[in-house]
Amino acid sequence: MSPENIRHNGKAQVTSLRSMPPLERFTPVTPHLAISPRVSVVVPAMNEAENLPHLFATLPQWIDEVVLVDGNSVDETVAVARRLRPNLRIITQTGKGKGNALAAGFAACTGDIIVMIDADGSMDGREIITFVGALVTGADFVKGSRYATGGGSDDLTFGRSVGNKALTALVNLMYGTRYTDLCYGYNAFWAHHLDVLDLDCDGFEVETLMNVRAAKAGLTIHEVPSHERHRIHGQSNLRTFRDGFRVLSTILREWRRPPGLQLPEPTATPAADRGVA
């Protein structure tokens, strides 16, 4: 035991700190909540060798696992990634498109929390703590938002911004959500909700699909502010009208789709209401 200095009648006295109680005295909060959850970060990448140094420099040291999904790059993406982070896990994509890459990356994760982030340097890995903080304090799914207070974008064109706002408003009307940013790829969630999200799309509509299915399943969804920077090198594969139409088709298709897995009704008082810190 370590001594502790206290004062009594103005005089310093030394007392002993109480020893830590045995682990058996601690009560688990829920089967899915850990004091220090393992965090996996999934990075879909294709020909992003020049951008990976910028992204990886922002990733916190406390991340447990980084899974890079390589879309059959023809540049040095894989070699650069291995050099920057030797303990990196690399998955070679067998299909095509961002949705397919994320599904492969999610399936390979071993962490309790999964964070998805783009490889082009537009997203700041230092924001991950905000996403994780929202999850460990009660959220099931956390969305980054460029329109939330404190967020922003250096990259959104007028046309993309108008389209995003219109599609966001449509989803809010149809699904009763209060999203501010539908088409943004910086998200995080508890890994045990993968079955609910059930990714089965290939393209950039994947973010919309995840947002809609999370809402339909009754997940607790929080938005956190995020600032999007310009892509550092190369050209984006996003095509405004083509991918906007795919997003709209996804919204309408999911409306007709029967509800999938949903969260069971709670059988006990939530931990927050029982005074658990």
Side-chain angles (χ1 to χ4, degrees):
M1 295 182 291
S2 301
E4 181 185 51
N5 290 326
I6 62 173
R7 287 192 171 272
H8 182 67
N9 294 330
K11 296 181 180 181
Q13 296 181 337
V14 178
T15 185
S16 296
L17 293 175
R18 290 179 298 172
S19 55
M20 182 176 176
L23 292 177
E24 292 77 17
R25 292 277 302 277
F26 292 91
T27 303
V29 179
T30 75
H32 302 302
L33 181 60
I35 299 303
S36 298
R38 288 176 51 82
V39 178
S40 297
V41 175
V42 175
V43 184
M46 185 172 70
N47 300 326
E48 300 286 6
E50 292 183 285
N51 292 322
L52 287 181
H54 300 277
L55 169 63
F56 280 21
T58 70
L59 295 179
Q61 292 298 314
W62 47 263
I63 288 174
D64 298 283
E65 176 182 58
V66 177
V67 177
L68 185 134
V69 185
D70 177 53
N72 297 287
S73 299
V74 296
D75 67 357
E76 296 297 310
T77 291
V78 172
V80 169
R82 289 194 187 278
R83 184 168 66 249
L84 292 170
R85 201 172 184 104
N87 61 344
L88 182 81
R89 295 189 63 195
I90 295 183
I91 306 296
T92 300
Q93 186 178 357
T94 56
K96 292 183 178 181
K98 185 177 183 180
N100 176 269
L102 286 173
F106 294 164
C109 287
T110 61
D112 305 298
I113 287 173
I114 298 175
V115 182
M116 50 189 274
I117 189 169
D118 289 350
D120 60 7
S122 64
M123 298 173 182
D124 190 342
R126 287 166 292 202
E127 293 179 359
I128 290 176
I129 186 63
T130 306
F131 289 79
V132 173
L135 288 169
V136 299
T137 54
D140 296 310
F141 185 92
V142 180
K143 296 172 70 286
S145 173
R146 296 163 290 186
Y147 298 101
T149 302
S153 176
D154 304 325
D155 190 54
L156 269 175
T157 63
F158 177 78
R160 285 174 55 204
S161 182
V162 169
N164 186 20
K165 288 181 177 180
L167 292 167
T168 301
L170 179 62
V171 166
N172 288 340
L173 178 65
M174 293 177 66
Y175 296 97
T177 52
R178 296 182 179 181
Y179 295 153
T180 63
D181 195 350
L182 184 69
C183 306
Y184 188 46
Y186 205 165
N187 301 303
F189 55 92
W190 289 100
H192 59 265
H193 291 314
L194 269 174
D195 288 345
V196 166
L197 301 176
D198 187 27
L199 299 191
D200 55 2
C201 68
D202 293 332
F204 285 98
E205 71 274 15
V206 62
E207 292 100 357
T208 297
L209 183 72
M210 294 174 71
N211 293 334
V212 168
R213 289 187 178 173
K216 289 178 67 174
L219 300 189
T220 299
I221 303 169
H222 289 184
E223 281 193 340
V224 296
S226 178
H227 190 96
E228 179 187 38
R229 297 171 293 187
H230 287 292
R231 163 183 274 276
I232 299 175
H233 298 285
Q235 297 293 323
S236 172
N237 292 317
L238 178 69
R239 298 294 178 266
T240 301
F241 293 104
R242 178 200 67 186
D243 293 308
F245 179 76
R246 290 178 69 129
V247 168
L248 177 59
S249 298
T250 297
I251 294 170
L252 299 177
R253 184 178 67 249
E254 288 299 304
W255 177 254
R256 297 189 297 268
R257 182 176 181 263
L261 294 173
Q262 290 186 314
L263 287 183
E265 292 295 324
T267 57
T269 305
D273 297 336
R274 298 200 304 269
V276 179

